[in-house]
Amino acid sequence: MKKSTLALSVIAALGGLGFASSALAITTIGGGAADALVLNHDGIGHQLIIPYFTVQGDNATLMNITNTDLVNGKVVKVRFRGAANSDDLFDFQVLMSPGDVWTATITQDPVSKIALLKTTDKTCVLPAGVAFAAGNAFATSRVDPTPVKGNSANETREGYVEIINMADISSALPASALFTATKHVAGVAPCTAASLEAALGTDVATVAEANGRGMLPPSGGLTSDWIILNQANTAAWSGSATALEARFAGVKSTANLNFWPQKFGVPASFTLATSDPLLSLAPAAGQQAAQQYDLPDLSTPVLAGETTAARATATATTLAVKSITNQYVTSTDINAVTDLLFSQPTRRYAVAQNYVTNTPAFNAAVNTHYTGGAGGNTAVNDRQICLNQLIRPTSQNKIFDREETTPGVGGTIFVISPNVPSAAATFLICGETAVYSINAGAANPSALSATVNRGDISIADATYKQGWLTILTPGATVGSGLPILGGSFIRASNTTVNYGFLWNHKVTR
């Protein structure tokens, strides 16, 4: 029996253990009947995105995944990516039975200061035997080795989460050992090691072979919720994951079966499975050797016949917005501070920062939303890729107080840092998940305690201490937007009790 292993980054953190992998490789990514992957505002889907997790300061993040399918189990990929460059911090598989819920808590290790995931959930998880109950540390081997803002441990403490239904687990197939091993009995899944290894320990060459091991094309039905809890101020912000659902003719359907073992090993179908410009079978300087555990991701084809570039572009287009509108509160009498979150969960598949060359690595085929060079909307600043064409609310009808008042054209009350001095109407959004604090200061710091990609917005006129604003988010091509998720995180207090509020961004598409 082969032993399941952690992702390369996690193995490196645990001492560089390595195991042999299968020589087989999936050559068929398919089996799905869907003709579209759409944004499901009802929160149920095949793919889920938690826009932000943080363990900075006194924050902890709690999350759950629910399988609303009462017939099929789910093989689910969970991947935590860093705020700076979407680097893989920790990934694993959760094997959910029908109606199952999986829960976990992400905290900060008191000694190493690295993010730590803990769970005592009874659902099967691969790799088996990992110290999930005691807490498993995220890894730093793929983050920037010389980050400008902070250190490698800091790079693990903020980011976002990808959740992907790789395959369904069915009792209707002849090989039901996988279903039996993952189905809860008296509240506990057996997690029979031999059955899990036989079904999930090696690659499959075809969808038919996957069927023979108890897997069917994924039918979705996943939901996820999250809470960011400040353990010192007892403030909390909560939300639901963004859901993408595979549909045929507008009705929920099956996506491609996209299964890879949670193991080391070169995925022979690599070029068919990801558009990530930093992953390679023959890594150049700054690139990473692709492994089976790197797949699938949000660029892996979901529909029959599509390419990775087409999937990455389509998902980005589905999430793209042309403007973001939200409220803010910074009243000093209630010690209020507002953080605006800008999370870009698909940018990694179009452009990623090469830490060795300190230059952006573009996938030229995924260029609807991000481009570089003269006139492009991205640039490198402090070893991070930044958006440099977001239009700040400095002119008429871009920022209001609560009584319809707005500064005139050319008003200068709205100051953003960092900024591009030669482009006063725009500002920088750096990294994959960026937090901009409004009227924060030493006495009233960032609500989320963000540090990896944090900027400041100062509103000098007391008239605008609370109100609403709009930020334009144009994409690289005319008429396109940018795939940005997020909201307005507000913290306030009455001197004895702290409160947290989250208002999701209101957008135009």
Side-chain angles (χ1 to χ4, degrees):
M1 181 181 72
K2 295 178 183 177
K3 184 176 180 181
S4 296
T5 62
L6 283 169
L8 177 63
S9 57
V10 179
I11 286 295
L14 296 178
L17 301 176
F19 298 87
S21 66
S22 167
L24 298 175
I26 190 167
T27 55
T28 300
I29 300 173
D35 60 10
L37 185 71
V38 304
L39 187 64
N40 185 0
H41 296 283
D42 294 330
I44 303 175
H46 294 68
Q47 299 180 350
L48 307 173
I49 303 167
I50 295 176
Y52 189 60
F53 78 87
T54 178
V55 295
Q56 296 286 17
D58 296 302
N59 289 321
T61 300
L62 290 67
M63 63 173 288
N64 64 63
I65 304 171
T66 301
N67 177 18
T68 67
D69 189 336
L70 301 183
V71 176
N72 299 303
K74 308 290 174 183
V75 182
V76 181
K77 184 73 169 187
V78 179
R79 179 179 289 111
F80 288 81
R81 290 190 178 274
N85 195 35
S86 290
D87 298 312
D88 187 353
L89 303 175
F90 187 35
D91 69 79
F92 50 94
Q93 294 175 5
V94 180
L95 311 177
M96 308 186 73
S97 59
D100 191 15
V101 178
W102 178 82
T103 63
T105 300
I106 304 93
T107 60
Q108 184 183 139
D109 183 270
V111 178
S112 69
K113 308 302 180 183
I114 291 174
L116 191 74
L117 184 142
K118 295 182 179 181
T119 180
T120 56
D121 199 282
K122 305 303 182 183
T123 298
C124 300
V125 177
L126 292 178
V130 177
F132 283 105
N136 198 91
F138 288 13
T140 60
S141 58
R142 282 189 171 179
V143 304
D144 190 349
T146 56
V148 174
K149 301 175 182 178
N151 51 55
S152 294
N154 186 51
E155 298 282 296
T156 72
R157 297 198 291 261
E158 294 175 65
Y160 64 94
V161 190
E162 300 172 345
I163 301 167
I164 301 171
N165 186 183
M166 302 169 72
D168 277 11
I169 303 172
S170 176
S171 61
L173 293 170
S176 60
L178 179 59
F179 187 88
T180 301
T182 56
K183 180 71 173 69
H184 284 58
V185 178
V188 180
C191 303
T192 310
S195 297
L196 297 183
E197 175 64 23
L200 306 175
T202 56
D203 276 337
V204 290
T206 65
V207 173
E209 184 181 344
N211 293 164
R213 300 191 194 181
M215 288 184 282
L216 289 173
S219 61
L222 298 178
T223 71
S224 178
D225 300 292
W226 51 270
I227 301 171
I228 295 173
L229 175 65
N230 189 295
Q231 301 167 92
N233 294 326
T234 62
W237 304 266
S238 63
S240 297
T242 296
L244 296 167
E245 186 174 66
R247 296 178 181 174
F248 178 78
V251 178
K252 188 186 81 160
S253 186
T254 55
N256 283 340
L257 195 154
N258 283 322
F259 168 76
W260 283 265
Q262 186 65 28
K263 291 188 175 184
F264 285 122
V266 177
S269 58
F270 163 73
T271 56
L272 302 176
T274 181
S275 72
D276 189 325
L278 288 188
L279 290 178
S280 175
L281 297 182
Q287 290 187 310
Q288 299 147 0
Q291 302 292 327
Q292 293 176 105
Y293 56 72
D294 284 314
L295 305 174
D297 60 28
L298 296 182
S299 69
T300 304
V302 172
L303 313 178
E306 69 180 353
T307 65
T308 60
R311 171 43 40 206
T313 300
T315 298
T317 299
T318 298
L319 298 177
V321 299
K322 298 176 183 177
S323 72
I324 289 171
T325 296
N326 218 323
Q327 296 187 58
Y328 64 91
V329 182
T330 65
S331 303
T332 55
D333 56 340
I334 57 171
N335 299 310
V337 63
T338 297
D339 281 354
L340 298 179
L341 171 67
F342 301 85
S343 183
Q344 303 173 77
T346 63
R347 199 188 77 185
R348 171 76 179 210
Y349 310 111
V351 56
Q353 179 69 353
N354 184 316
Y355 296 134
V356 172
T357 63
N358 195 25
T359 58
F362 280 93
N363 183 332
V366 186
N367 61 4
T368 303
H369 305 91
Y370 302 102
T371 58
N377 66 346
T378 62
V380 176
N381 182 64
D382 284 347
R383 296 180 62 83
Q384 292 184 336
I385 298 170
C386 303
L387 295 171
N388 60 9
Q389 292 184 0
L390 272 70
I391 301 175
R392 61 180 187 166
T394 57
S395 60
Q396 190 76 25
N397 298 332
K398 300 300 185 196
I399 180 172
F400 287 86
D401 67 5
R402 291 178 173 175
E403 308 300 336
E404 303 179 44
T405 306
T406 182
V409 174
T412 59
I413 66 162
F414 196 93
V415 178
I416 300 177
S417 60
N419 199 4
V420 181
S422 61
T426 63
F427 66 101
L428 295 177
I429 292 289
C430 295
E432 302 291 88
T433 56
V435 172
Y436 271 73
S437 304
I438 300 180
N439 287 352
N444 204 18
S446 162
L448 293 169
S449 303
T451 64
V452 176
N453 307 312
R454 180 175 168 238
D456 287 296
I457 298 174
S458 299
I459 302 176
D461 192 323
T463 304
Y464 303 97
K465 292 298 183 183
Q466 47 270 330
W468 65 274
L469 53 81
T470 294
I471 295 172
L472 302 184
T473 56
T477 58
V478 176
S480 69
L482 289 169
I484 296 177
L485 305 176
S488 182
F489 291 73
I490 300 170
R491 190 188 69 225
S493 72
N494 63 1
T495 69
T496 58
V497 179
N498 292 285
Y499 304 93
F501 310 91
L502 168 60
W503 293 328
N504 291 332
H505 289 322
K506 288 71 178 175
V507 301
T508 58
R509 297 186 187 277

